[in-house]
Amino acid sequence: MRDTVTKNWANLAELPTRTLDELFADPERVASYATTLDLLGGTIRFDWSKTHLDADLVAHFTRLAESCGFATRRQALFSGEKVNITEGRSVEHTAQRGVGNEESVDLAGVLHARMRGLVEAIHGGLLGEVKHLIHIGIGGSALGPALAVDALTRDGAMVDVHVVSNIDGCALEAAFAACDPATTMAAIASKTFTTIETMTNAASALAWLTASGVTDPYGRTIALTASPDAALEWGVDETRVLPFPESVGGRYSLWSSIGFPVALALGWDEFAAFLDGAAAMDRHFLETEGFDNLPLRAAFGDQYYTRLRGCQTRAVFAYDERLALFPSYLQQLEMESNGKRVTLDGQPVSGPTAPITWGGVGTDGQHAVFQLLHQGTVLVPVDFIASIQPGDALDPAHHRILLSNCFAQGAALMAGKTSDDPARAYPGDRPSATILCDELNAGTLGALIAFHEHRTFANGVLMEINSFDQFGVELGKQIANQIDTGGVSFDPSTEALLAAAGIGSQ
Ligand code: F6P
């Protein structure tokens, strides 16, 4: 299998590079490379026509996917096999949305019913007046909830949610300043219930509730975790521990009880629509073959730019203020999943793995970093994300100008412009993809996130890596612990920094 994969990559590398201009000579270009998916929340258009993918590349990438066992690995993922081989775990976030191994789907239903019970008890006033929730978690236990709450509650929320992740006390202090302790609950979100940032912030939140005169501060805490015993030991009452299975990875956990703040802010029906939107994308990914499979198509483009064109970064610009947190969510999803250097069988990878994901919102980015996209010396494939329906109720001119700018950027990157003055010339032939939702709502956001999860997995399959472990984050944590515990010496630079800050054993 390895030989065939190597040969397929070699064949891909030999294909001629055609310009976007040449590709658009085909009158069917848009029809062939832009596809709409009708989902529960509305239609989403995935336009990959302004990428360099062509029929030859697609045929070769399809062959590559076959040689990497794409269909088998996809089936293994959805059927609950232990696809995270380095940790010996299944990877079952899709079961949280009702798609996957039957037993896991049933268990997710039971756990969601428990979560719904607590959400509705709070909404019904059974836990006293609750106006604010401080959601404490980091990485996958924070980025998804922060994104979904920010994207979907612009018009108001049933409970005001503050997501706090950083160990820097300034983050928690900002949440304290915005909340009345008498009407605040704290959700401690941690798969392991050991993460130092989260546990330190949780202790400080408890201290704040106590110091503010809340009589039963532990009674105001909720645990969202795959380690319920640790949460009980910490002091959260069993009735407010919302578990999720070990097989749900941190950066894929938004659909489990980690999504509690989303359900609390939006109400259960909206949270269910969010899960359903993701489930519709799951079914598309599971049931569609080859190039018609949109996450796989996107992965073909990603691999083309990273491995065959040497792009070290990829940019994502949401022309939608509600998706301001989407790039940072994607950074963890893509870089923690696919920033790897060995294959599934422990061999060095044969080419670059995940590019650096970066981005922001349009039109802000145009006035800050787009200069480099248009005239810089590095090639950066860009994804634009937008919604046809506006999120605001102001003069429609706002949204019209927003969308015009979004589409203009893709057109400009591709077309470029000649000029006698080299400083004013644009090379053009720069790729972009556009994801255009009819409307941004719980369903389409769910589908959008699930699309990126599957795109990340598909990239991992094509690179023959395990997308589901993250050992690279451990060494720094260990050294921070050693510094905290003392008695270990480090390199002279680190020692000097520690001495300057008055930290460590010395
Ligand atoms: O350090 C990385 C990481 O393990 C992420 O993968 C995870 O999302 C985050 O830390 C938080 O972990 P936990 O949910 O166990 O607190």
Side-chain angles (χ1 to χ4, degrees), residues 138-141 190-192 195 198 250-251 332 336 470 473 477:
I138 197 162
S141 295
S190 174
K191 180 173 178 182
T192 54
T195 304
T198 300
R251 54 192 172 275
Q332 185 197 20
E336 195 166 78
Q470 59 283 317
V473 302
K477 285 187 200 171

Side-chain angles (χ1 to χ4, degrees), residues 228-380:
D229 291 345
L232 292 173
E233 200 176 312
W234 189 85
V236 183
D237 186 75
E238 200 270 332
T239 55
R240 290 185 309 281
V241 175
L242 299 179
F244 64 92
E246 190 65 50
S247 58
V248 175
R251 54 192 172 275
Y252 300 90
S253 62
L254 173 59
W255 324 97
S256 70
S257 63
I258 293 292
F260 175 80
V262 185
L264 194 69
L266 295 177
W268 191 264
D269 289 350
E270 284 295 288
F271 185 69
F274 180 58
L275 298 180
D276 288 347
M281 184 58 72
D282 291 336
R283 284 189 286 272
H284 165 79
F285 182 63
L286 185 58
E287 292 161 8
T288 312
E289 298 312 326
F291 184 66
D292 291 338
N293 184 313
L294 294 171
L296 183 63
R297 180 187 303 186
F300 288 171
D302 295 338
Q303 290 302 309
Y304 170 75
Y305 289 112
T306 310
R307 289 223 167 172
L308 303 178
R309 299 286 294 265
C311 300
Q312 295 192 347
T313 83
R314 84 175 200 93
V316 180
F317 281 88
Y319 274 65
D320 193 313
E321 191 67 21
R322 295 167 294 178
L323 294 177
L325 299 180
F326 201 59
S328 46
Y329 175 83
L330 280 187
Q331 284 182 319
Q332 185 197 20
L333 176 65
E334 299 183 354
M335 292 161 75
E336 195 166 78
S337 297
N338 286 345
K340 305 289 168 61
R341 53 190 294 112
V342 293
T343 58
L344 284 163
D345 52 7
Q347 300 300 311
V349 290
S350 56
T353 56
I356 294 159
T357 306
W358 64 282
V361 288
T363 58
D364 290 5
Q366 292 175 207
H367 300 275
V369 294
F370 276 37
Q371 164 65 38
L372 177 147
L373 298 180
H374 288 284
Q375 287 188 318
T377 51
V378 292
L379 185 67
V380 183

Side-chain angles (χ1 to χ4, degrees), residues 148-162:
V149 168
D150 189 45
L152 301 174
T153 64
R154 295 286 171 130
D155 294 331
M158 294 173 83
V159 172
D160 165 46
V161 172
H162 297 262

